[in-house]
Amino acid sequence: MSGAVTNIRSGARREWVINLVLLAGLGLVPLWAWFADAPFTITLATRAAILALAGTGLNIALGMGGLVSFGHAVFFGIGGYAMGILASHAQNYDPLVQWPVVIEGTQFMPVIWIVAILAGAVAALVIGALSLRTSGVYFIMITLAFGQMFYYFAISWPAYGGEDGLAIYVRNGFPGLNTLDPIQYFALCFAVLLVVLFFNARLIRSPFGLALNAARQSTQRVEAVGMDPFRLRLAAFVLSGAITALAGALFADLNRFASPAMFSWQLSGEIMVFVILGGVARLCGPLAGAVVFVMLEHFLGGLSEYWHIFLGLLLLLVVLLAKGGLIGLLSGRGAAHG
Amino acid sequence: MADQHTLLPVLEARSITRTFAALKANEDVSIDLKQGEIHAVIGPNGAGKSTLIQQICGTLAPDSGEVFLAGENITPLKAHQRARRGLARTFQVSALAMEDTVLENAVLGALGAQSGAGVSVMGMFSSALGNRALRDAAMEALLRVGLRDKAQVRTAQLSHGERRQLELAVALTLKPKAFVMDEPMAGLGASGSKAMTEFLDRLRREAPILLVEHDMDAVFALADRISVLVYGRIIATGTVDEIRADAGVREAYLGEDA
């Protein structure tokens, strides 16, 4: 018994070391690239940080809540379009709303982020309130259906680019930073990721985290102690959607482009794939997965446009051989949860 | 005051009926639980005991009939709302967070019970295990059932008997008005059964227990009253001696070994 307890502890310690190494690596590689004048590497790292953020959002629903959402691209896309719509109105000097009050667009990132977070949260509240009435395969299908709805809506909305998407000329601004400088924009995204990971680490240990985690394992258990599992899951879904929407805003800003593809089911799948690859319910699972995903995409994508085959193979191996994903494999904590 | 306690049942089901397709799982079942007592429900497999528990605890809605807790009609309430009103349930098949530690399971119960009093289930920034009040309440319950030394063990690693003890500990953290226990003796060895019997014997003074149990030794040792459920109907309610002597019960249920 005490041996088992010690194993849990040493595994947890090792996971912390791995997390720190991962974070340090993601922080230092762009710094090296900056000295070596390799801006594209910095862009790749920024992409990884943003995808890690999106995955961290999904991980709250998927990992902590056990909610297999196949529609998280909805929130990613909403964040992207929140950025695109606000920024395009601002750059065209065309107010967003004329009546009853005039609301201007903005190219000020903090405001864009707040709008993205709120829009993502509201969408998640509505989608969650409807889809969390179901579970299992039905939940997966309903979230997928919502994703497709948003995708086709974005395609058929000519005011904001329709199929062509929505491009902006300059990256939005953040006080004190030149966001067009790759290393500065990376630092900003990395900082956002760190803040969210810190929040997530607290969340896991919080009363809400404990209750949500228990609800995933036994609905009856949380009911029997007087908690409403639906409310817990809905709150998790909202939180999850809000974080993924923030990632979407950053992603669109990175590319200076919001496209309907941000809503696509393929993207929902990709986010889920790299979260599972890295380790579901692991604090830095999404980060590990996103880094591997971006590296594969870059190196193998250059060799063949069918690089997803290799991603699929890797996923297959990890799922079959390491139930806790890459993080679980490295930390020696096999089980996917805990 | 004392009279009122004895008069007013803590928990009462009135004319509960539930039908599954053509099968009447419960028909016009009325049962009550008074302060300080253990009221056992016995009956053969498929008699509707589990259905009755589910309807009392709110995981299954009755087709007709009502459930009262401390005088309040809780029929329209959901399971978690009934638990919050003071109805603590233990499950036949342990329903615990298996991947969590024993302590975390107990803290979950304390969190459910103390939510609103300084902590919130929706609290996202504080630490659950770091909360002194929650931890103390959890440890106290674990101490009472004898699981204190296993607090840091993962629940999945507990033996079957220890899981029953943990179920009980979580129910204790709720400081309920009434317990509803579904076969707490199931799967316990002889010594485990004896220890559980002694524990429940003392527990009834804190809150009355509606006890569904197959272990007749335990039932006869513990019950102040027994109700016999056969084919969804209560065919007799009475003291241990009355039930032992009841010809209908002997025929329908106790059979040759009573």
Side-chain angles (χ1 to χ4, degrees), chain A residues 301-320:
Chain A
L303 296 177
S304 158
E305 58 181 302
Y306 302 111
W307 69 276
H308 279 91
I309 292 172
F310 299 101
L311 178 69
L313 270 176
L314 187 63
L315 181 72
L316 209 63
L317 280 174
V318 166
V319 169
L320 286 177

Side-chain angles (χ1 to χ4, degrees), chain A residues 1 4-5 8-9 199 202-203 205-211 213-214 216-218 220-229 231-232 235 239 333 337-338, chain B residues 59 79-80 83-84 89 91 95-100 104 107-109 111-113 120-128 149 152-154 157 167 170 174:
Chain A
M1 174 216 112
V5 173
I8 294 173
R9 292 219 176 105
F199 165 74
R202 301 280 310 241
L203 188 71
R205 291 156 177 271
S206 71
F208 175 76
L210 182 77
N213 194 36
R216 173 176 51 74
Q217 300 172 61
S218 170
Q220 282 190 319
R221 172 43 57 208
V222 293
E223 278 177 349
V225 298
M227 299 170 185
D228 184 357
R231 232 181 115 209
L232 289 168
L239 216 52
R333 301 170 83 193
H337 286 284
Chain B
T59 41
H80 70 271
R84 183 144 290 190
R89 173 187 189 184
F91 294 89
L96 295 163
M98 287 299 183
E99 295 155 12
D100 293 354
E104 282 167 336
V107 165
L108 184 75
L111 176 62
S120 165
V121 176
M122 291 292 159
M124 294 178 180
F125 297 98
S126 64
S127 157
D149 294 341
Q152 300 301 333
V153 175
R154 200 172 290 246
Q157 292 171 333
E167 281 259 343
V170 177
L174 301 178

Side-chain angles (χ1 to χ4, degrees), chain A residues 182 217 244 267:
Chain A
Q217 300 172 61
T244 302
L267 188 73

Side-chain angles (χ1 to χ4, degrees), chain B residues 6-79:
Chain B
T6 47
L7 286 174
L8 183 75
V10 177
L11 180 64
E12 187 184 7
R14 282 185 204 159
S15 303
I16 292 269
T17 297
R18 173 76 198 202
T19 312
F20 294 112
L23 178 78
K24 279 206 159 112
N26 282 132
E27 197 178 352
D28 199 23
V29 172
S30 293
I31 190 165
D32 65 353
L33 184 64
K34 298 194 177 79
Q35 198 61 258
E37 78 166 343
I38 292 180
H39 190 156
V41 178
I42 61 172
N45 285 327
K49 302 187 297 288
S50 293
T51 311
L52 177 63
I53 284 199
Q54 288 189 48
Q55 292 175 101
I56 288 175
C57 293
T59 41
L60 191 67
D63 296 333
S64 63
E66 288 169 322
V67 183
F68 292 84
L69 180 67
E72 183 193 1
N73 186 348
I74 58 170
T75 321
L77 301 186
K78 291 180 183 160

